Short mmCIF file of all heavy atoms in Angstrom, two decimals:
data_model
loop_
_atom_site.label_atom_id
_atom_site.label_comp_id
_atom_site.label_asym_id
_atom_site.label_seq_id
_atom_site.Cartn_x
_atom_site.Cartn_y
_atom_site.Cartn_z
N HIS V 1 16.46 -15.75 -14.96
CA HIS V 1 17.81 -15.12 -14.83
C HIS V 1 17.62 -13.61 -14.94
O HIS V 1 17.48 -13.08 -16.05
CB HIS V 1 18.75 -15.62 -15.87
CG HIS V 1 19.02 -17.11 -15.82
ND1 HIS V 1 19.72 -17.71 -14.79
CD2 HIS V 1 18.67 -18.11 -16.66
CE1 HIS V 1 19.80 -19.00 -14.99
NE2 HIS V 1 19.19 -19.30 -16.15
N THR V 2 17.58 -12.91 -13.82
CA THR V 2 17.46 -11.48 -13.85
C THR V 2 18.31 -10.90 -12.71
O THR V 2 18.59 -11.57 -11.71
CB THR V 2 16.00 -11.01 -13.62
OG1 THR V 2 15.55 -11.51 -12.35
CG2 THR V 2 15.09 -11.56 -14.72
N PRO V 3 18.71 -9.65 -12.87
CA PRO V 3 19.41 -9.00 -11.76
C PRO V 3 18.42 -8.61 -10.65
O PRO V 3 17.25 -8.95 -10.74
CB PRO V 3 20.03 -7.73 -12.41
CG PRO V 3 19.12 -7.49 -13.58
CD PRO V 3 18.63 -8.81 -14.05
N ARG V 4 18.88 -7.95 -9.69
CA ARG V 4 17.99 -7.60 -8.58
C ARG V 4 16.94 -6.56 -8.96
O ARG V 4 15.85 -6.51 -8.36
CB ARG V 4 18.80 -7.02 -7.38
CG ARG V 4 19.67 -8.06 -6.71
CD ARG V 4 20.34 -7.49 -5.47
NE ARG V 4 21.11 -8.50 -4.77
CZ ARG V 4 21.81 -8.25 -3.63
NH1 ARG V 4 21.76 -7.03 -3.09
NH2 ARG V 4 22.45 -9.22 -3.03
N GLY V 5 17.22 -5.80 -9.95
CA GLY V 5 16.25 -4.83 -10.41
C GLY V 5 16.59 -4.29 -11.80
O GLY V 5 17.78 -4.11 -12.10
N LEU V 6 15.59 -4.11 -12.63
CA LEU V 6 15.74 -3.51 -13.94
C LEU V 6 14.68 -2.41 -14.05
O LEU V 6 13.51 -2.68 -14.26
CB LEU V 6 15.53 -4.53 -15.05
CG LEU V 6 16.68 -5.48 -15.31
CD1 LEU V 6 16.26 -6.56 -16.36
CD2 LEU V 6 17.93 -4.76 -15.84
N HIS V 7 15.14 -1.17 -13.86
CA HIS V 7 14.20 -0.08 -13.79
C HIS V 7 14.05 0.62 -15.14
O HIS V 7 15.05 0.95 -15.81
CB HIS V 7 14.66 0.93 -12.71
CG HIS V 7 14.73 0.28 -11.30
ND1 HIS V 7 13.62 0.09 -10.54
CD2 HIS V 7 15.78 -0.21 -10.61
CE1 HIS V 7 13.95 -0.50 -9.43
NE2 HIS V 7 15.27 -0.68 -9.42
N LEU V 8 12.83 0.91 -15.48
CA LEU V 8 12.52 1.64 -16.71
C LEU V 8 11.23 2.38 -16.51
O LEU V 8 10.50 2.20 -15.54
CB LEU V 8 12.43 0.67 -17.92
CG LEU V 8 11.20 -0.24 -17.99
CD1 LEU V 8 11.06 -0.78 -19.42
CD2 LEU V 8 11.23 -1.38 -17.01
N HIS V 9 10.97 3.28 -17.44
CA HIS V 9 9.72 4.06 -17.39
C HIS V 9 8.73 3.43 -18.32
O HIS V 9 8.81 3.49 -19.56
CB HIS V 9 10.00 5.51 -17.82
CG HIS V 9 8.96 6.45 -17.33
ND1 HIS V 9 8.85 6.85 -16.01
CD2 HIS V 9 7.95 7.12 -17.99
CE1 HIS V 9 7.91 7.72 -15.86
NE2 HIS V 9 7.31 7.89 -17.05
N ALA V 10 7.75 2.67 -17.79
CA ALA V 10 6.82 1.93 -18.57
C ALA V 10 5.51 1.70 -17.80
O ALA V 10 5.41 2.05 -16.63
CB ALA V 10 7.42 0.58 -18.97
N ASP V 11 4.55 1.11 -18.51
CA ASP V 11 3.26 0.79 -17.86
C ASP V 11 3.39 -0.64 -17.25
O ASP V 11 3.43 -1.62 -17.98
CB ASP V 11 2.16 0.80 -18.94
CG ASP V 11 0.78 0.62 -18.29
OD1 ASP V 11 0.68 -0.06 -17.26
OD2 ASP V 11 -0.20 1.15 -18.87
N PRO V 12 3.43 -0.75 -15.90
CA PRO V 12 3.62 -2.06 -15.29
C PRO V 12 2.50 -3.04 -15.58
O PRO V 12 2.70 -4.25 -15.69
CB PRO V 12 3.74 -1.71 -13.81
CG PRO V 12 3.07 -0.41 -13.62
CD PRO V 12 3.30 0.36 -14.91
N HIS V 13 1.28 -2.49 -15.67
CA HIS V 13 0.13 -3.41 -15.93
C HIS V 13 0.20 -3.95 -17.35
O HIS V 13 -0.09 -5.15 -17.56
CB HIS V 13 -1.18 -2.60 -15.75
CG HIS V 13 -1.28 -1.99 -14.38
ND1 HIS V 13 -1.45 -2.76 -13.22
CD2 HIS V 13 -1.28 -0.71 -13.94
CE1 HIS V 13 -1.51 -1.99 -12.16
NE2 HIS V 13 -1.39 -0.72 -12.59
N ARG V 14 0.59 -3.12 -18.33
CA ARG V 14 0.74 -3.65 -19.69
C ARG V 14 1.90 -4.61 -19.81
O ARG V 14 1.80 -5.63 -20.51
CB ARG V 14 0.87 -2.46 -20.67
CG ARG V 14 -0.39 -1.64 -20.84
CD ARG V 14 -1.53 -2.48 -21.38
NE ARG V 14 -2.72 -1.70 -21.66
CZ ARG V 14 -3.87 -2.17 -22.06
NH1 ARG V 14 -3.99 -3.51 -22.20
NH2 ARG V 14 -4.91 -1.42 -22.27
N LEU V 15 3.01 -4.33 -19.12
CA LEU V 15 4.16 -5.26 -19.16
C LEU V 15 3.80 -6.56 -18.50
O LEU V 15 4.23 -7.64 -18.90
CB LEU V 15 5.39 -4.62 -18.51
CG LEU V 15 6.02 -3.45 -19.25
CD1 LEU V 15 7.33 -3.07 -18.59
CD2 LEU V 15 6.25 -3.74 -20.68
N ARG V 16 2.97 -6.52 -17.44
CA ARG V 16 2.50 -7.76 -16.83
C ARG V 16 1.63 -8.55 -17.81
O ARG V 16 1.68 -9.80 -17.88
CB ARG V 16 1.70 -7.44 -15.56
CG ARG V 16 1.03 -8.63 -14.91
CD ARG V 16 2.01 -9.71 -14.48
NE ARG V 16 1.33 -10.92 -14.05
CZ ARG V 16 0.89 -11.14 -12.82
NH1 ARG V 16 1.10 -10.21 -11.88
NH2 ARG V 16 0.28 -12.27 -12.52
N GLN V 17 0.87 -7.83 -18.60
CA GLN V 17 0.06 -8.49 -19.64
C GLN V 17 0.95 -9.20 -20.65
O GLN V 17 0.68 -10.33 -21.08
CB GLN V 17 -0.82 -7.43 -20.34
CG GLN V 17 -1.96 -8.00 -21.18
CD GLN V 17 -2.85 -6.91 -21.70
OE1 GLN V 17 -2.76 -5.74 -21.35
NE2 GLN V 17 -3.80 -7.25 -22.58
N VAL V 18 2.08 -8.54 -21.03
CA VAL V 18 3.02 -9.17 -21.96
C VAL V 18 3.63 -10.42 -21.28
O VAL V 18 3.75 -11.46 -21.92
CB VAL V 18 4.13 -8.15 -22.30
CG1 VAL V 18 5.27 -8.85 -23.05
CG2 VAL V 18 3.58 -7.05 -23.17
N ALA V 19 4.03 -10.29 -20.03
CA ALA V 19 4.63 -11.39 -19.31
C ALA V 19 3.69 -12.57 -19.19
O ALA V 19 4.04 -13.73 -19.41
CB ALA V 19 5.13 -10.95 -17.95
N ASP V 20 2.43 -12.28 -18.91
CA ASP V 20 1.41 -13.32 -18.78
C ASP V 20 1.18 -14.02 -20.13
O ASP V 20 1.08 -15.24 -20.22
CB ASP V 20 0.10 -12.71 -18.30
CG ASP V 20 0.12 -12.36 -16.81
OD1 ASP V 20 1.11 -12.74 -16.14
OD2 ASP V 20 -0.79 -11.65 -16.34
N ASN V 21 1.13 -13.23 -21.20
CA ASN V 21 0.92 -13.87 -22.54
C ASN V 21 2.03 -14.77 -22.95
O ASN V 21 1.84 -15.90 -23.39
CB ASN V 21 0.72 -12.74 -23.59
CG ASN V 21 -0.63 -12.17 -23.62
OD1 ASN V 21 -1.60 -12.81 -23.21
ND2 ASN V 21 -0.80 -10.94 -24.08
N LEU V 22 3.25 -14.28 -22.74
CA LEU V 22 4.43 -15.06 -23.18
C LEU V 22 4.63 -16.30 -22.29
O LEU V 22 4.89 -17.42 -22.82
CB LEU V 22 5.70 -14.20 -23.17
CG LEU V 22 5.70 -13.06 -24.21
CD1 LEU V 22 7.00 -12.30 -24.14
CD2 LEU V 22 5.46 -13.60 -25.62
N LEU V 23 4.54 -16.15 -20.98
CA LEU V 23 4.75 -17.30 -20.10
C LEU V 23 3.58 -18.27 -20.24
O LEU V 23 3.76 -19.49 -20.25
CB LEU V 23 4.90 -16.85 -18.65
CG LEU V 23 5.13 -17.95 -17.62
CD1 LEU V 23 6.35 -18.82 -18.03
CD2 LEU V 23 5.32 -17.39 -16.23
N GLY V 24 2.35 -17.70 -20.35
CA GLY V 24 1.17 -18.58 -20.54
C GLY V 24 1.29 -19.40 -21.81
O GLY V 24 0.98 -20.61 -21.81
N ASN V 25 1.75 -18.79 -22.89
CA ASN V 25 1.95 -19.52 -24.15
C ASN V 25 3.05 -20.61 -24.00
O ASN V 25 2.91 -21.72 -24.48
CB ASN V 25 2.34 -18.59 -25.31
CG ASN V 25 1.14 -17.86 -25.88
OD1 ASN V 25 0.00 -18.19 -25.55
ND2 ASN V 25 1.42 -16.83 -26.69
#
């Protein structure tokens, strides 16, 4: 459940690492 876009100033590679860890768990 997400909108079409959520823009922020962040490191996309590190956020992908977070997403992978949480979804993988």
